[in-house]
Amino acid sequence: AKVIDQDGTVIQETRTSDFVNASETHTITLADGKWIEIRRELNHKESVHVATAGFQAMRRKPGENRADEPVEIVTNYELMDTEKMATWLVDWNLTDPRGKVLPVTRNTIINLRDTRGREICAAIDDYVADQERLDEALKNGTAALTLMPSADD
């Protein structure tokens, strides 16, 4: 089954399998017209990897040994974003200063300008949030209400 918006665009095909089809992708247009192609969804292992990529340590402050004392969680946010992009990205049309499209690799991801890296991470986060809302609407049978334009449009 397909979920279609008011313009006839397929927003999502409902899943008939419990397994991820790694070849399915989704293209997102960035603010300046450049684009990124991401995987339509991650498998369980990849989801856990992305969610825990920046986790480095969990420790109690010196001298605190009680179970109800606060715990300090040490997180590397740089690693989280790099792993998110490396896991989700399939392709892009981002170029070097000479106009050459560079491949999606860990090295090219690390060398992105900060503003571009943040834009890509935000685009992935927005896509994931939209998919989660749509999956929830489909599960609850409210997708038609969610996707229909309001009477004021």
Side-chain angles (χ1 to χ4, degrees), residues 1-58:
K2 297 178 181 180
V3 178
I4 301 173
D5 72 5
Q6 65 270 14
D7 298 323
T9 304
V10 175
I11 296 175
Q12 177 178 350
E13 291 210 30
T14 57
R15 307 202 191 334
T16 56
S17 173
D18 294 316
F19 298 93
V20 171
N21 179 348
S23 66
E24 290 183 341
T25 62
H26 177 75
T27 302
I28 299 171
T29 303
L30 302 175
D32 62 355
K34 296 213 175 185
W35 54 263
I36 59 173
E37 183 180 359
I38 63 172
R39 297 180 58 185
R40 185 158 300 277
E41 64 181 322
L42 301 181
N43 65 38
H44 178 68
K45 179 183 177 189
E46 292 161 336
S47 293
V48 171
H49 173 74
V50 169
T52 61
F55 178 77
Q56 292 186 316
M58 188 168 75

Side-chain angles (χ1 to χ4, degrees), residues 10 18 20 31 44 57 63 65 76 90 97 106 111-112 119 123 136 147:
V10 175
D18 294 316
V20 171
H44 178 68
N65 293 318
N76 178 335
V90 174
R106 236 177 219 28
N111 284 299
L112 286 169
E119 179 183 19
E136 189 63 27
L147 300 175

Side-chain angles (χ1 to χ4, degrees), residues 79-109:
L79 182 59
M80 286 174 67
D81 285 351
T82 299
E83 290 303 311
K84 178 189 302 181
M85 288 187 277
T87 304
W88 277 97
L89 286 169
V90 174
D91 198 8
W92 59 25
N93 68 342
L94 305 183
T95 58
D96 69 7
R98 293 179 304 240
K100 178 183 175 189
V101 175
L102 296 178
V104 176
T105 66
R106 236 177 219 28
N107 192 45
T108 54
I109 289 168

